Amino acid sequence: MSDQCVITSEITVAKGLFAPGHLGELTRIVPFEMVDAALAETGAVQQRLRKIPARVVVYLLLAAALFDDCGYLAVWRKLTASLEAIPVANVTGTALWHARTRLGARPMQALFDLLRGPATAIRTAGAHFKGLLTVAIDGTCLDVPDSPLHRARLGGITNQYGTSGYPQICLTALVACGTRAVLDAAFGPRTSGETVYGTRLTRSLHAGMIVLLDRGFSGNPFLTAVAGTEAAFLARISAARRPPVLERFEDGSHLSRFGGLEVRIIECEITIITSQGRTTGLYRMATSLLDHHRYPASDLVSLYHERWEVESAYFAIKKSMLGRRVLRSQTCAGISQEVYALLSAYQALRIAIADATGTTPGADPDRGSFSVALRCARDQIVRAAGIIADTAIDLVGTIGRAVLDQLMPARRLRVSPRAVKRPLSRYAYKSLRVDRHTHTATLNIKILTPTPTS
């Protein structure tokens, strides 16, 4: 009796020079037709068939976002690792550079526009608050290569030691809190500030949404712009700001006005209790939801915690996908191309997670592990598996099954100190005595009645 087992697999890919253009099973979320539509919309379809067609370049950029520790030539080898049975173009790193330069950033932006969205259904757990889609806007910074070109355009971080660190871009995103999917994004030089890019994102706000904002977005012009889209907002405002009390409501909130904009003000005292002790803070919030019966102050204060979902989205992008590395591109156009590819790949993974949890009644997308989905998607790319769907459509897929098999437990309330992730000195954690541990917590919320002003 033979002690060997022979396993054969069938791989279905695009024909000819288009064969390396795939994203494994994620190709079903980013199909050939979608990529071709983005290329046609931006006039980027090649005039003659090259060794590396434009469609293949798009998938190369998407795959590079999932394999950020690899150079583009190494990513090409992963795309073609399972294609030994068919002739694949032999390319060089220089050829890939020319192909990416020819493509430009506009096709990747058009592809992101096709993919972006909340990735929610009506019954998606945690996606809505009293019928309103819960979203959040916030900004973060991404490091780019330290080159004279980037220094000239983006500047550098200035501190007591002079200019240090990498040049950075500011990325501001509109994120669906229920699924952490990206509805829209804008980015550019850090000097412009996140509110400038946040104003651009108001194009994606509309009635039926409630947008959660931190103090950086609580200025009158920005809140007025949000209100003009007919979306509701809930924003934390500075404790130094003391808007007038026009009318008091029975839930403890009161009516006020920011310029020509009517708002409800909620003042509360929040106490966080952990095994290390308790911390109490005073918070002041403003909302455009004026109906205190339908939207009680206590419910809105509890909802505001969902704003941290945008931070979880940034953690997935910067830590899980980028590994806190610097972006690759040495040109400004290349940076734009790379960021749109990064956002598109992230969105594809979030859609896969949402689709999988959507097949399990009551499953919250929060419980789907992004790291599990990312690792499985990488494996599917190397295997060139699941590129073209069979006659019988598998709605969950290999990635979805991996996510469902390893669902995380229901989220507990935990707190962790905010600290610099990459300090200038590697001894800073010890010198600053920062407690890096995460602690399980309980939360007490007390709505405060404003003190009458004379």
Side-chain angles (χ1 to χ4, degrees):
M1 180 181 293
S2 173
D3 59 354
Q4 296 181 345
C5 178
V6 178
I7 299 177
T8 60
S9 61
E10 183 176 299
I11 297 174
T12 305
V13 296
K15 186 178 180 181
L17 294 173
F18 293 94
H22 68 87
L23 207 59
E25 191 176 84
L26 290 180
T27 311
R28 302 181 187 183
I29 297 174
V30 193
F32 303 146
E33 296 80 6
M34 181 182 290
V35 174
D36 290 343
L39 292 170
E41 178 186 339
T42 55
V45 180
Q46 63 278 343
Q47 298 300 311
R48 60 184 179 86
L49 193 58
R50 299 174 181 269
K51 290 172 62 176
I52 314 175
R55 182 208 290 175
V56 175
V57 180
V58 171
Y59 283 112
L60 172 72
L61 291 164
L62 294 174
L66 300 177
F67 293 100
D68 199 72
D69 57 337
C70 299
Y72 285 105
L73 191 57
V75 174
W76 176 268
R77 295 190 181 108
K78 291 183 180 296
L79 289 172
T80 59
S82 297
L83 306 181
E84 302 96 339
I86 61 175
V88 175
N90 185 21
V91 302
T92 63
T94 301
L96 294 178
W97 182 86
H98 284 296
R100 290 184 287 113
T101 303
R102 281 195 304 270
L103 184 72
R106 291 180 62 238
M108 302 309 300
Q109 181 179 0
L111 180 63
F112 172 65
D113 286 339
L114 294 174
L115 283 168
R116 63 186 176 94
T120 61
I122 294 176
R123 299 183 182 275
T124 301
H128 296 82
F129 170 74
K130 299 182 183 295
L132 300 174
L133 178 66
T134 307
V135 299
I137 293 177
D138 203 2
T140 190
C141 292
L142 298 176
D143 293 336
V144 303
D146 191 357
S147 67
L149 178 63
H150 291 324
R151 283 277 176 198
R153 182 170 184 262
L154 305 175
I157 302 173
T158 303
N159 54 30
Q160 66 268 33
Y161 304 110
T163 302
S164 63
Y166 290 97
Q168 293 181 323
I169 60 170
C170 176
L171 169 65
T172 305
L174 172 65
V175 173
C177 296
T179 59
R180 302 175 191 163
V182 179
L183 283 78
D184 204 352
F187 57 89
R190 186 182 177 186
T191 51
S192 296
E194 60 185 10
T195 53
V196 172
Y197 303 116
T199 303
R200 298 181 191 175
L201 302 184
T202 57
R203 65 196 174 196
S204 296
L205 297 176
H206 54 76
M209 287 181 170
I210 179 168
V211 55
L212 310 180
L213 305 164
D214 70 5
R215 285 174 290 186
F217 295 91
S218 63
N220 287 6
F222 189 84
L223 294 182
T224 301
V226 172
T229 67
E230 299 185 5
F233 64 78
L234 175 62
R236 184 181 174 190
I237 61 176
S238 170
R241 192 170 184 178
R242 296 191 175 277
V245 179
L246 303 181
E247 180 182 353
R248 291 186 175 87
F249 301 120
E250 59 190 29
D251 66 340
S253 63
H254 63 272
L255 183 68
S256 188
R257 185 179 295 276
F258 289 166
L261 181 65
E262 279 195 338
V263 295
R264 264 172 71 207
I265 302 297
I266 303 169
E267 297 182 3
C268 61
E269 181 182 87
I270 299 179
T271 302
I272 300 173
I273 306 170
T274 70
S275 59
Q276 305 300 304
R278 64 172 57 204
T279 303
T280 300
L282 298 177
Y283 296 82
R284 182 176 289 133
M285 300 178 189
T287 179
S288 58
L289 297 172
L290 304 182
D291 187 346
H292 64 281
H293 295 292
R294 180 168 174 77
Y295 308 104
S298 57
D299 290 356
L300 290 171
V301 173
S302 298
L303 172 69
Y304 188 76
H305 184 72
E306 292 295 309
R307 192 195 71 80
W308 286 96
E309 298 297 343
V310 69
E311 303 288 354
S312 297
Y314 285 143
F315 182 85
I317 292 173
K318 297 173 69 173
K319 177 62 171 65
S320 300
M321 296 181 72
L322 287 175
R324 296 204 174 102
R325 296 182 180 86
V326 180
L327 297 178
R328 298 181 179 91
S329 302
Q330 299 290 335
T331 64
C332 295
I335 290 294
S336 296
Q337 184 187 69
E338 188 175 354
V339 172
Y340 282 122
L342 184 66
L343 292 172
S344 297
Y346 169 83
Q347 184 73 356
L349 286 168
R350 283 298 179 199
I351 292 172
I353 294 171
D355 288 349
T357 54
T359 62
T360 303
D364 194 321
D366 284 351
R367 297 182 59 196
S369 171
F370 185 84
S371 297
V372 168
L374 176 60
R375 288 194 296 268
C376 188
R378 288 169 174 169
D379 293 341
Q380 296 297 95
I381 289 175
V382 175
R383 294 174 53 206
I387 297 173
I388 298 176
D390 297 327
T391 305
I393 304 297
D394 184 0
L395 296 178
V396 176
T398 304
I399 297 174
R401 280 189 290 274
V403 169
L404 293 176
D405 288 345
Q406 303 177 63
L407 281 177
M408 296 184 292
R411 178 178 296 180
R412 300 166 296 163
L413 177 62
R414 296 176 295 171
V415 294
S416 179
R418 300 192 72 174
V420 177
K421 303 298 188 298
R422 292 189 301 186
L424 293 176
S425 169
R426 59 181 175 177
Y427 303 107
Y429 293 146
K430 295 181 180 179
S431 62
L432 296 175
R433 301 184 184 278
V434 175
D435 180 8
R436 306 289 295 177
H437 296 90
T438 298
H439 303 283
T440 303
T442 57
L443 202 68
N444 292 329
I445 300 173
K446 179 182 178 182
I447 304 299
L448 304 177
T449 302
T451 303
T453 56
S454 56

